[in-house]
Every structure is written in C-alpha cells, then in structure tokens.
Amino acid sequence: MASAGWQHPYVNIFKHVKVEEWRKSAKAGDVSSYMDKTLKCPVFRIKGPVPTNSYILVPKNTEHSLGLTGHYFYLLFRPTPGKYFMVHLDVAVEEGQVVRISFSNMFKEFRSTATWLQFPFLCGAAKDSVYENTSRSARHGLVGPAPTSVRWTCLMMDLRFTLSVYLNRRYSHLKSIRLCANMVVKNMFTSDLLLDPGVSFREAKQRGLSSSQGTGPIPREMSFPVPKGSSWEDLYDHIKFPSEGTKLPFDSIQKDDLKPKARSSSNERSPVTDECHFAKISRSVQDRVSLSQQITIPKLPPRNQTAVVSSMLKLSVLSSQPKDWPCLDDGLRPDSTHFSSQRVSSRPRRGTDDGGIHLYVHPEDALSVHGEESEDEVVCTTESHPVSLPSFKESKQQKLQPDPILRLSRIIGFGGATTRHVLWTKAGDAAVYPCHAIIVSMKILSNEQRFFIGHTDKISALTFNGNTTLLASAQSGTNSMVRVWNYNQGTCLTMFRGHAHSLCCLSFSYGGGILCGVGKDRHNKTMVVVWNTLNVSKGGEVTIIAKAHTDVDITTMKVAFFDDTRMVSCGRENIRLWRVRNGTLRSCPVNLGEYHSLDFTDVTFEEGISSDQHIDDRMLLACTRSGHIFEIDYSRVAVKNVRRLLPGPQQHADCREKPTFNTGPGVAINSISVSPSFCATGSEDGFLRLWTLDFSAVILEAEHEGAVSKVMVSFDGLQVLAATSTGNLGFLDVSSRGYNTLMRSHTDTVLGFSVDGIRRHLTTASADGTIRVWNMDSLHQLYDFVSEDNPCSVAFHPHEQTFSCGFSSGTVRVFDISSAKLLAEHKQHRGEVIGLAFSSDGEFMFSADSEGSLALYTASEEDHSVTRVACNVVARGTERAPDALAVSSDSSRLAFVGPSSYIVTIADARSLDELLHVDVSILDVESPQLDSALKVCFSPASTELLLITTSAHKILWLSTKTGRLLRQVSKVHQHPCSSLAVSEDSRFLLTSGHNAVKVWDYNMTHHVNSQMFIGHSEPIRQVRFTPDQLGVVSVGDAIFLWDFLADPVECLTDSSSQFKASPSSPLAADTEVNGAQLSNGMPRQTAPLPSSQHQLDASAMDPVIQGGLGSLSVCEDDPAKPVQTTGPSQSSDPRPAVSFLKVTNLDSFSPLNAHHRDTMELSQNKPVRPDCYKHYIPHLKTSSLDQSIAAPQPQDEGIKLKAVIGYNGNGRGNMVWSPDQGLFAYSCGCVVVVEHLHTGTQRHLQGHSKEISCLAISNDAQTMASAAGGPNSRSLIYIWDVQAGTCRSTVSYHKGAVQSLAFSRDDLFFLSVGDFSDSGLALWRTENFQLLSTVNMSGPIHEAAFSPSAASQMACVGSHGVYFCLIHTHASNADIKVQRVSAPSEVGDVELTALCYHMDSFLLTSSNQGHVCAWDISKQSCFMIWKADDGEIGVLLCRGNRLLTGSNTHWLRLWEVEAVQGLRSAENICRINGETKVVVEQEIMLDGTMVSAAFDTSMDMGIVGTTAGTLWYINWSDNSSIRLVSGHRSKVNDVVFSCDEHHFATCSEDGSVRVWSTSSYELVVQFQVINQACGCLCWSPSSSGDSSCIAAGYGDGTLRIFRLASTDMEMKLHPHYVAVTAVTYSASGHVILSAGKNGLVAVSSSISGATIRVIRDHKGATINSVQCVNEQCKKFGLEGNEMFLAAGADRRVSVWATDWSKEKCDLLDWLSFPAPPNSADDSLPPSLAAFYPADHSLLVYTGYGVEKELSFYSLAKKQIIKKISLTHWATCISLSSKSRLLAVGSRERVLKLIKSTSGKFQDFLQHSDSLQTCRFSPSGMLLFSAAYNEVLLWEVPGL
C-alpha cells in the first residue's frame, strides 16, 4: 500500500469521497439530506422499514478499497427514535482476509465467526429522561429500538484493538463502510489519534494535549456545537469501544456508565444542588449510625452511582416519617412517602478527608453492600517519628476502581437460626433457603445462586405466596424486622417491624394479600400479628389487620389456601384454628382428648381439593414428636383419626386403639407435607418417607445423616425437598427415585480455611468438630473428616493432594485426600494450634500453638518429620488464630507475633533462627496506649516488606531488613482486624474486621482507598485471595465466595506494578510483551515470534525422575505473577543456550567433482528392494523415537497393558505356535503377544521400540526370539524366556531390518538374516547368544531354515537362487560354507521366496511366479518343478508327505507330495503341468496374503497369518477355518466404546468398520465399504438392545448408519462433498453432527437423515474434533440443554449451546489460540479440544502454538485458568471421567498419562509409530491407544 502520510492527522471520509456527488459512493432506498437544527449543518437521513434496503455505501465499487489506515474510526450520528439501525465495516487484515465488523441495536447478543463480528449497540438516552432512568437500573442499558430522547452520538471504535482481541488478527486498513437505516449521520472519519469530542481547542492547549502524545480535540469540522454555559456531555453522547469501564470483552457497544472525568478544577461541577438543605452531624454521632440501618433502604442508587456518607455528613431533611419505623440512635428516619421507589442519596462535601459508606445494587443478584471508612496514610520521613498526612491529594484519583471490586458469587452454608424454613418455587426449578443473614435462591440443576441481602441478623422465617412471586422473611434477635421481596426481581418492596423479638413463623396467604407472623412481645409473651400486604407490590404500605396475644405455644402457623381470613397453628399440647373477623383475631382449640399432652411439630392442609369446595369437607393433618399423625375435621374442630408411626415392622399399621398407643416410643416426626398422591414426613431418625395417603405403606424413603427438620413437596408433586438439622439440604426426585444433595454446611462457626488452587478444592475447619473439603466450582462437599478433637486451623500443601490440620489439643495431623487416610500425627504442642502454614515450595511446614511453641516440619517426606521445636517464641493466646504464621513467597522467611504481643519476629524459614525483632508499641510515640500486633503478612512482590495490623486499627509497612517503619494507614476498621492478605501482584490489600471485608489499594493512591463489603452475620475468622487471584474467600458463619473484579491488565501499565522486565536482561523487551500475553489467562491475541536467545525454563520439567514418575509444570496463568526467565545455570537442558551449525570450508575440492563423486557413490551402493511381497518392508513412519521418557516402574504404572487388538500382517514369519507345549505367540507393533488359546488371556513381552518383523521359537518352546528394526538403524533381537516372560538377552548385528529367524533342530544355534539393505547371515550360539560367524550374501535373502535331521546343514533362498550352507564348528568359533545355485531356467527369471525341508531327503522352494521346486540336497540340483499357484508363494511348510502353500492370491492349499520322492533319481528335471503326480488335497481361500504359518506334525491343524491382520485357525480334517485374532490391514483412524462398554468399534483406511467384544476381544461384526476410507465413527447414546447404532464418516463425504442387532446398514447420508473428519451423536441422540475436511459442520437428523443445519464458521479449516455433552446452558446466558464444540486446524474452537428439540443452536464462545509463523511445508500437530468430564464449563485445548501445552479454558470466566506443559506436540488426547486423568499421544510414539490436578505424569513407549488415537472408556477404567494399525487396550489403575 502507498504511503499513508496524507491520512494524518485524520481523514474526513465524506469529503474524501465527495459523498454528495454519489460518484465514489452509493445510496439505496430512502436517503435524503436536510439541515439539522441541533448541529446547524446539513446531515443525511437514512430511513426505511428494512434496514438493509436503505443505506449509504462507501466506496461505490465493492472491489475498490478506501485504504484508510487510521486505527480509530469515528462516526457522528443519531439513531432514529423507535427504529433499528445497522452499520457494517469491512476491514482488511494483514493475514489477507476481509473481516466485517457490524453493530446494531437489532443484535441481542455478541456473535463471532472467523470473518464476522456482531456487536449489540445499546442506545443512550437524554440526561434525566425516563429512558435514562430505565437504562441506568438495567445491567447494560436500554436494549432494542432507540428511545425517543436519543441524542447525537460520537462513536469511536478502535479497529486495531477489536481485531486483535476478538479474532487475533492484525489490522491493515479500512476497506468499505455501509451505513444502513434508520439513522441520521453527519460524517465519519479515521485517525491514529485518540480524539475527545468534549474537549475544545482552548482546553486542549491548556492541558498540553497534542498529536505528538497521540491525543487531542476533535477537528472543528467534525465537532458538535455547544452553546455558552452548557456542557458537551449534557447535550451529546460519547461512546468509546472498547469502553474504559469494567465491561468484559464479548459485550456490547454502549455509553460508559462512569461519570465524566473532571477536566479541570475550575470546571468541576458541584454534585449538590442549591435547593437542598443539609444538617451537619458530628463524627461521634455518625459512628453510632450502624451499618445495618444504612443498608435497609429498599431502593438504592445504581451500581456506579454511590451514596457516600462522609465524616461531615450531609443528609436531605426528610419531611415525613413512618410511625412504625425503628428509631435510629441519632433520630434520623427515612421518608415513608417514597418508601419503595425514591432513592435516598447523600453526597460528600468537597474537600473532606474521609470516605464513607457505599451501597451498591447488583440487579442480577439482588443487593450487595460495601462501605468505606476513613483512613489516614502515614509516610516515613527523616524526622524521628512518622508524620500523618491527609489521605486526600489533588493529584490522586477519586476512588478505588472498579467500583465495586467484589461481587458475592456463591455461598456454602445453610441454616443459621433455623433449618425448618425451606421453600420451592412454583416452577420447581429452584429452592429458597436461609443462610444466616442472607436468603439464597439456588437452581437445582445448575446450582446457580441468587441472593437477597438486607437482614442484619440471622433469618428465622421464610414464606412464599401461592404463585411464589412474593417472598417474606423475618430475622431473629431483638430487632425482628420483616422484609417483603419481589422474588423475580430480587428487590425489597418493604420492611416493617411487628414484634419485639423471636419472630419464628411467617405465612403468606395464597394471593399474597395477607401475611401472618408469630413472635414475642416486650413482655416475652407470644403474639400473633396479621398484616395487610395487598398493595405492597404497587408501593403501598403494610398495615396491621389484627393481632392477638396468647399463652399457648406456637411452633407452626399457616394461612389457609382457600380463605385468607383463616389460619391454623400447632405447638406443644395444642392445635388451634384462627380466624380474622371485624378486625379481631380469635382462635378455637381442637379437642385433643387423651392426646392433649403431645408435642405437635407441624400442620398442613389436605391437598387435592378444589378451592371452591365447602369448608365442611376440609381436612387437616398434624404430626407430633411421638410419631402420631392426626387427621382433623376442620368444620367440627375435632380429631377424626389418629395414626401412630412406630419403628420396625409395625410402623405402617393403623394404630388408633389405646393399647397400641402405649406399646412403645414412636418415630418423632418433625415435618409433614401432602400432595394429591402421597404424604411426605421428615422424622428425627433421619428418614424422609413418602407414604400412601392412608399411611398403609411406605412408597419411598431416603436416609439422612441427621434429623430431617423440614419436608416440602413441590407444586407439581414430582420432587420433595428435605432439610436436616445437620445443615444438609436436598431433594428426592419421585419419578426417578434419585436423591440429589443441594447443599451441605457446617453447623457451627467456620474457624479457618485453605484453598488448593491446582484442584480448586477448599478445606475448612469448624467448631462443629469437622474438617470438610469442598469443590469450589460445584459447591459439593467432597470429603468430611470427623474428630472428637476440635480442629482450629488448616493448610493445603502447595503441590500435593494433602492438607494439615491443627487441633485444640495441640495435635497436628496430615491427611491425604485422595486416599482419605491419615499420613502423619504430631503432638509436640501443648496448647491450641493457632497457626499452620506451608512454604510455597512445599518443602517445609510450620505450626504454632497458644502456649508459645513453634514447630518446623519436613513436608517433602510423607511422615512430615519434626525438624525443630522452639518454645516461648510465639505470643500466647488464641486471638491470632487461625493464621498466626506468615511465610514469604520465596520460602526463606517466617514471620509471627511473639514472644510478646508487642513484638514481631522474622525468622529463617529453614532453621527458625531469629533474624529480626520489631517492637510495634514504640513505633508511634504519640499514642497514649501501647499498640500490640495482631496479624502479619509478607508482600508477595518483595520479601523485604512485612505488613502488620495492630490493636490500634492500623496497618504498618515494615522493612524486613532494618525493621524501619516505611508507612502506615490508620482507622482500618472499627474493630480489630481479624485477617490480612495481599494480592500476588501487590496491587490490592484485603482485610477483615468484625463482619466486614475491605479491599484496599495497596499503594494508597486514591482519595478513597478502600471498599467495604458486608454479608456475614458473625465475625469473620479468615479472608484470603484465591490462588488464581480471581476470587476472594471469607469464612465465619458460612463460606462466602466472592468474584474479584479488578482488571488484571491494569498491572501492565500501572507505575507501581511489580511486573517489570529487568533492563539488564537480554529478554527485557520480549519479557514485557510476552508476559502481558501470558498473564491475563486468555488466549494470546498476537503470537510472539520465536527467538533463538530464549532460555529453557527450568521449572517446565523436573530434571529428577524418580521411580519413572515425572512432574509436569502446571501453570495457573496468574495475572499477578511476572514472567521469569532463567539463565543457563538454571536450565535443565544440557544443550547450550545457543546452537551453531558446523561449517566446513572445502576449498581444495571442486564443487562439481565432489557432487559427481557423491552421486556416483550413492547410486552404486543404494540397495534395491526385491520384487516380491515376501521380503519384509517396514511401514513408512514419519514419527521419531524419543528415548528420554519418564518410564514408570512396573509396580507404579498408572496404566497396565491389558490386551493387544490385532495382528501385524506386515510382518513376515511373525507368528509361532508349538502345539505340544501349547505356546501361541505373535507380534503387533512392537509388542509380542503370548496368548492362551483356550481362555483368550494374553501376556505381553515388551521391550522393542520399533515394529517387530519376525519371530522364532526354539524346539523345546522355552526360548523365543523377536527382531525389530528399520531403515538406517540397527535391528535389535530380543531373546525371551517364555515361561518367565522376561528378556534373557539382546543381540544386534544387522544394519537394517531382520528378515528371518531360525533355531537349529538341537537348539544349539540361532540364525538371523538381514533384509535387502544388509544381505547377511549371522549365526549365534544359543548358550550365551555369542556371535559365531557372519556371511555376506550376493543378494537379498528371503528366508532361511535349518535341516530337521542334520544340525550343521541349513539353506536359504533369495533373489539369486538357493543357498546350501554347511556349518563347521571348532572350539568357540564356527565357519559357514555357502554354495549358491541359481533357480532353474525352466521357471525363468524369478525370486525364490520360501523353502522347507521334506524330512531329510530333499528341499522344497517356491517362487514369486507360483512355482514349487524340489531340490536334491546331496546333488544341490533341482529335480522337479510344478506350478502350485498363479501368484507368489510366500508360505511353504512340509510335514511328512503333505505340503502347505500360501500365496498372495489368498489361496491356502494342502498338497500330497509322496510322489516327489520317487522322482529324485530322474536325470532330467521333471516338470508337472497337468498330471496327477502331485495332488491338491484341500484348499481354502482366506482374507489376505499369507505371511506366516505353523502346523502340527500331521498337518491336520494349524494357524495361518495374513496381511489383512488376521490369524486363522485351520482344521483340514473338517475343512474349517476360525478367526483367532483380527486386526486392521491399514491405519486405524478411530476407536470408540459403546455406552455400556460391552463392545468397542474401530474404523480404518481400508474402509472397514469393525465391532469387537470388550471381554473376549473377538470380532463381532464387520462392515466393509469398498474403495472408501473410513475416517471417524461414533456410537449412538443408547447402546443397548436393538437401538445400538454406529455412525461412520467416509472419504467421499457420506455418513453410514449401521445397526448392530441386524448387522445391516440402516441409512446412508451425504451431508458433505469432502472427506468426513469428525462425527458424533448429540447427547440426546436426536441429531448427528459431522464435520468435513473443508471445515463445514453438518447437523443431520438421526431418524430421517435430512441435513437440518450447516455451520460454516470454520469454513476453510479442517475440523479435528467434535464433541457433544449434556449441559444446562442457562448459567452461560443461553437456552439449551446440550453443548458441543468444534476444533479446527486453524486453532479456532467454537462452543455452541443447543436444544435440538427446539431447533436451537447458538454460539456460546469462540476461541482463537495464537501460534508463531510456520512454513507451509511444516506438518503441524492437530488442534484438539474436549470438555473436561468433571466440569463441562471447562474446555481442554492443545495444538500448535508458542509452547507445547494443555490449556484449560473456563467458559464461565472466559479465560484460561490453567496450563500444563507438554514435552511433545499432541496428536491425540482423551479425558477420563475417573481420577481426572488425561491421555496424550504424540508423534514421538509416546503415550503420556497425566494427572490434570497435579501435573504428575508417566510415559509409555509401547507403540512403534506415532499415535493417532487414544480414547478412555465412559467409566474411565479402560483406555485404548492406536498407532497405525496397532490397537492397545489398557487397564487404568490411576496415578
């Protein structure tokens, strides 16, 4: 492209193309020009009912290009109100493609393909309009048509950034623009400058903005007019994409929610209007305003508009106050007239030093609250004491960003004040339950949680109205507040107070107009209150209808669903019916008679009765702690029937008689719920039981760990919710009879926790005496360790799957999670363990107790032996538990408070030697009180910084070298700080005090440096960042998991970031760039070029391999961790850092002569392959063998070879059978299989690394020899002890492959024959396998054999005839005399291919033309010839007078050759053409060319091997043949298991699909397609009975469906015109997804075969893998019950959400993985992807890239969360559903087994070629691996 200098500083596009002339531009539809009154200039209006039909196109000719290189595109336009618009930008990228970028308010969501990006455009509205208020309360603004008050907009789009982030493409230039209706447009331009339309030229000059800095004001001809006294932002919208806000990628184009930044102090506008009146409140009064009252405002400011209460508080004077509002300490009351709709806001006075309380609304998950208190920063000067400085500086930013920085994501917990209140939603898709002070709504399928936050104490009661749109909740304690919520929106409608305390029961009427509550009044008397809530949804007030005091006990009270004025209650010794009439509440007791003393626990109305049924027919059911079920007549207020549920066999009987009542204790029933079909009870014995309505029988029952406190039947009667007193919540699915646990929880305070970042496990210690391990993603409890000794603190090992726990007795125990066993137990401590920590390298463990002791352990040993114990070094007491110890990030330093509370000690972590004491009490000499230390924490960025929290609510920064105070912050919390943590990038600080969590700016560079978050109802015990720095965990009353929303990219530009490359490092420049790309957890946007200067990272591979077990580096992609480079001394690679090619100067040689000489030499010495199939030729292999593998010890193998499927038909003589000894062996690949013919069991002789060419067995069947080798390498011959299955010896001589092996008749000699590349014989002594003699033959040898009678005689056949050999032995040596005789002239120019001896009289040979020649051994001459076959005979075997011939015509013939012996005396050669001297007794045609044969001595039965990979059992007596072993002839492309694992199927290049039995490994059925390669196959989801089908994809683009039961092809589909590369059934089996070599994915009906849909997003790139799984996609924001992925060869992976029953298929995610440039000739590894079986929201990817690695991508977090380094490029992967194992195959023939959680791995080298397929069985117990035609089946014990 020509120079783009003319385009600077900008290009006016309309002016450039002279748009008004329409010569270089085009228009279509209704396009007109008019004078706009606002802009006072002509503009273009584009309108039309269909946006795509009316447009302006620039340039006119689409084949031309604008060629605009400015990477900022500016559009000045205004969408038409109430209409849709669309804009298309065609952008050229440097890779040569054209990418279309489109944005429109028609788009509902972001979509992406390889060549198209679609962004939703969210229109803004005029300031203070109703549309702005609507969009402000929504998450992303106003969606859909433009609002009526839409304004003129300046849109800036960064084209370079957009292409880089979303498509990993490099921007070249803007090609064309299409503006579609409906809009008004002024102009558009491009520039390389970031221009601000709201900055005038005068302001830009004052602020020093210039084009040299890459910024400036917008050009005058492009600017919008601003009247005097007005602000640009008040009149127009400025939209930047990407936004400067906190929106994630893959979002929308919209106006930034953040307020405009102040341009100058003079222009800053006051946020407070003059009409407001304010009352000043002192700091002491403000401190008394509790945070709980601050968060009880029903409607709060939006997310990015904070209400701040400062130290000089300004509150609007409120005109009216509700009478029932609880008085605050300072007498302030909110405005009742705007109770549910008006926002209460308070703003800070400018110039205040303190922050305030911030309240935020998360529309998607109700209310989240955080706050800010004042803090003072102190820096150290040269004075004798620190000087306090005001925290507000004009140069600082206003507040910590993003705001909010935490978002409550999930809570592990249930209960608190009660476990008796759990609810179903109307749809039955969610359960609502209390968790201390928070209400949780959990989806039962996805475990997605929503929160209702606002209560300040534990929740004591919950209730729904009939259609579950209104939710009422009450809290315990003295402030018994009731809240009414809009359940669907998650907002609080109102709150009120009706009881003094102990509000224990709430009940809504069915319509929601009546709410009834039971609690205590000021005199501790039970009070029942009935409220009118009819208008609460419309903003109306809640009024009391009636209330009554009673002396009776009330446990449960419910409003009748058929009458809002009627209620029923039960309690100890009473059941009462209530009714509201004329404003009074009256009750009537039920006459219980002799049952008056029972304790009633629950009551419910009978179901299945219409609401209009007469009240006389109503029935009640009540239950008691003694096991009685009362049936009560509602109209007569009397007991109708009583049943008692007894334990044991009699519990189902009707026990109404009085004698039965006293027969024994009943089952205590805590809850009862009735459906039209059954009755559910929850009892004290832990059982949830479903009964028939007459209680005659139990339908279902589920046993729980604790007493069932609540049961509730769903509205549809299909599910039953059950809660237990031990904190468990679950539901019983009635139809499937399956039980699902929703939540488990601790029953007491959580004292401490630790996170395993590798496996995402969380372990907690609780005062309930249990230690529990949780899955952080699913929230499921994985393990539960129970101890009588109370646990106090826990710590995970940084690498291993172990954790340690300290107990109150002083015991420290170490547990192994995988085996759930105790590894070590230590009792050195005398007091409670208050601190427990591991060093980051995992070498050491530390523990401290409340009596002052400190212990050091060796964590690298399993028993964690004690290295040292130091007494009286740690401060005494338990207030510093559970994290009293801090270890530096480099594992060199240990810090703790001690020996007194005023002293902080820093010690050497490896010896506990004290290095430094710091007295914190003397650091502030002006303080009137002594300050003591509470918590200590090292800064991760530097071990020279130590942070300390003190009792004076300060944070101190100390130097660990000098002990000098560097800075401090005071007023951190109002209560003592209970926990302290620093993010790994040292940008953020985390503290907790009482029940609040604070996030701080570590460098304190803002006016407001912290944000506070509440939600816990009890003091927080511990808070920490998660290891991946993406979350925060806090524990106390429950376990809170927060999302940490700080942008990780900021650390790359922040001046205070620790992420910097050393200037002295040669990698400084690269490190900074690559670090940015590697640190943010996302696929790299641009691939860094490889550099020859890069060093190998020593951490990538453990150099020490112990026991064959390696350790792969697991990269968590932590954005905070700097990319480190290692020097040569650290590298584990012995090679030099820089490699050089050796250059030799050949000045004395003529280049021409040298070239000629080399060519001649090569042409003369190059061997020629014989023209016969008999000669062994190894498979052509492109793989290379890697000898440096981590081979495990046999007893430690993670997988064990179970079976070998198939036989190598490419071998020659590679099958042996000894019928006398029962030995049967053959080769497959590089494995020798020894099989027991009767049982089918196999033994495997492993040792070869290359394809085995031939086998030989000694005559006593005790020794076997196998040979393997190939071109350009020496062959290796293994000598095996057959009985022991071990290798006796290995010998090597031949430079190429070994063609033949043979033992002499007396087993004294062993002969090996080389192939055509090394035509030599080697004779060995079998006693010690010493080489005796070698002979180089004149030509290739095909076969050799010893004489059966004379041990010193042997013969060979080859290209040059037959060789008669005689062995002469003397001493330890031997000589071989060879006499060569050419083939008879009668047979022509032939190759002699095979030979055998006829007893001891003559020799038989065969030729490649089908002749058989009989030779007289003594005369060394041929005396007889006959034509035995039309093709080449490669197998010749003689027993007695019977001769066996096998040829490449597939015929196996048995000859009677008795007549041959009588012709030995003939002087001339006897040629038999048609005479009957040699008779064919029997013949049979097999499936391939014969390559091996073994028969018994009578030739009645034997085994024959063919090139088809089949071993046949031949029985001549009954002329039968049986397949013993089957295998594929050519490359195996795929192996799949059936769902039940009873069968597996393979497909091959030879066009066959074979189905095998998993148990016997026998071939069940074979489907053959002629002349078409089968590239992939899959099994239908239902693999039982007649429904089992196999879908196979072929090279001609067809899919064929085979039914196993009928062994027929059921259907043939043709969805592709190129080869099918991947195929799979959908998870439901409704459709078949197939991918072609051209990148198209076809969706076909499995019933009709019709192509439903074609997905073209991957067009042009071969699809390597397609996978489909069951997964509910609602958590990703899309509809669908399945997901599937497709991975293309261009390193792009698409993930789709589907619901095939509704024909829905939506793009969920699009991933592009970077890679360095490569040559077109390079053979790149495939791009492979698969869903992680344990969590389908995780995707595992590997392919060609910058590094050899496995990437774990989270669909939920939109980033890579883990990487595992690989030693080779992967050619295939498979993920196991068991034990989190991965199998990875490579071209280096290595099958690697990896533990995905720890990176532990093992290498297996049992294949002779590169692996193309590996596949775990559905259960994960078996594994298949395939290399060429070798298929190995492995058992998987696991790592």
Side-chain angles (χ1 to χ4, degrees), residues 690-734:
L690 304 189
W691 305 80
T692 57
L693 293 178
D694 60 356
F695 293 91
S696 62
V698 175
I699 303 173
L700 284 174
E701 66 178 16
E703 186 175 9
H704 297 74
E705 297 173 358
V708 179
S709 55
K710 177 67 176 180
V711 295
M712 184 178 184
V713 183
S714 61
F715 289 83
D716 56 10
L718 299 179
Q719 297 164 328
V720 183
L721 198 64
T724 71
S725 59
T726 56
N728 295 345
L729 179 65
F731 68 94
L732 177 66
D733 191 300
V734 179

Side-chain angles (χ1 to χ4, degrees), residues 823-842:
L823 293 181
E825 184 177 38
H826 299 284
K827 299 183 179 181
Q828 282 75 26
H829 294 295
R830 295 169 295 171
E832 177 181 320
V833 177
I834 61 172
L836 202 57
F838 283 94
S839 61
S840 58
D841 57 10

